[in-house]
Amino acid sequence: MLSLNGVVTYYGNIQALRGISLEVKEGEMVALIGSNGAGKTTTLRTISGLLPTHSGEIRFRGETIHSMPPFEIIRKGIAHCPEGRRVWPDMTVFENLRMGAYLRKDLLEVKNDLEKMYGLFPILKDRRNQIAGSLSGGEQQMLAIARALMSKPKLLLLDEPSLGLAPIVVERVAETITSLNQAGATILLVEQNARLALTISSRAYVLQVGRIILSGDAKDLLENEEVRKVYLGKAN
């Protein structure tokens, strides 16, 4: 479904991605793990068109997308749930969800999908007329995921969904992401919590200073001595 081949991205004069290649197959949940500054968020921002690709190629469902503007990439079926949730704080929960579908013209289906989001995240239905900035961190994360899903994506990019959340809320968010994947959603997950990411994903890539240094089955990487020592806090 998605492939990156030799992608190079710069922040100003700083080379952030140094020729990374990866792929995500339909129905998979693939994790990107690595330390701060490794290039995880940059990878997602490059895929969604928020950062320009300096060189290399990004293909989605067989089509080259790295020269497209972000709104066209959304239209193609890629939704980006950003780090830090980034809900519109002065808008209601309902208004945030409707903004997630702003490119869609199928108004009846949008209404049906809104009800699906309320079914998936019942707390959002209870809070639908509440200002988003007044929600708890966990509720804002659920809103951010639901808002991304309102674009009806074929691929969901999730950036640090557990960041800043209490452990019990992290567990609920992880269960929701797992349920979405089991229901057929294709997900590329960036997560600082490497153990969480490797536990719920099928495959994973390890980024270090803009390069992929390891990749493979997530369960195998959980048992990899280098991964355990550097990213999980213990060696075999």
Side-chain angles (χ1 to χ4, degrees):
M1 176 178 278
L2 175 75
S3 64
L4 278 66
N5 297 299
V7 171
V8 173
T9 299
Y10 281 80
Y11 273 116
N13 294 324
I14 300 172
Q15 188 174 355
L17 299 183
R18 302 171 181 269
I20 71 168
S21 298
L22 61 83
E23 66 175 15
V24 180
K25 298 176 183 177
E26 189 163 359
E28 279 191 311
M29 176 149 57
V30 176
L32 289 178
I33 65 172
S35 58
N36 288 333
K40 305 185 302 297
T41 292
T42 300
T43 300
L44 296 195
R45 288 173 62 84
T46 302
I47 293 168
S48 61
L50 296 174
L51 288 173
T53 302
H54 182 268
S55 60
E57 182 182 57
I58 302 175
R59 298 183 70 84
F60 180 63
R61 299 171 71 87
E63 184 175 3
T64 300
I65 64 168
H66 57 264
S67 59
M68 293 181 181
F71 71 89
E72 286 292 349
I73 292 173
I74 293 172
R75 279 200 176 113
K76 294 296 179 183
I78 297 178
H80 187 169
C81 184
E83 178 183 5
R85 300 176 279 278
R86 306 283 182 90
V87 299
W88 285 287
D90 297 326
M91 297 171 66
T92 66
V93 167
F94 169 76
E95 289 168 338
N96 268 268
L97 292 174
R98 284 291 285 114
M99 284 298 291
Y102 79 100
L103 286 177
R104 295 176 57 184
K105 306 300 182 184
D106 51 338
L107 298 184
L108 180 58
E109 282 300 309
V110 168
K111 184 178 179 180
N112 291 337
D113 286 341
L114 184 64
E115 290 303 317
K116 289 179 183 178
M117 293 306 106
Y118 289 151
L120 183 62
F121 303 101
I123 192 66
L124 297 184
K125 185 172 185 178
D126 296 338
R127 303 275 198 270
R128 61 187 179 276
N129 295 317
Q130 187 170 325
I131 296 299
S134 67
L135 300 177
S136 70
E139 290 166 350
Q140 288 188 25
Q141 185 62 71
M142 293 174 191
L143 175 57
I145 294 172
R147 181 184 60 189
L149 291 173
M150 283 298 294
S151 69
K152 215 163 187 176
K154 299 177 179 70
L155 172 65
L156 179 61
L157 308 178
L158 284 177
D159 195 353
E160 302 284 12
S162 76
L163 185 67
L165 303 182
I168 190 169
V169 181
V170 170
E171 185 176 342
R172 288 171 55 199
V173 170
E175 289 173 353
T176 300
I177 295 169
T178 302
S179 296
L180 288 171
N181 178 239
Q182 290 174 344
T186 305
I187 299 172
L188 180 57
L189 171 67
V190 159
E191 181 55 63
Q192 186 70 27
N193 185 334
R195 185 177 302 280
L196 171 65
L198 294 176
T199 299
I200 66 176
S201 300
S202 54
R203 291 191 303 110
Y205 294 86
V206 182
L207 283 174
Q208 187 177 84
V209 198
R211 291 188 175 92
I212 293 173
I213 59 168
L214 287 171
S215 65
D217 185 272
K219 292 180 180 178
D220 292 339
L221 290 176
L222 265 174
E223 300 302 321
N224 180 283
E225 184 173 358
E226 182 178 355
V227 171
R228 288 167 65 86
K229 182 178 180 180
V230 177
Y231 302 104
L232 305 180
K234 60 182 179 179
N236 285 330

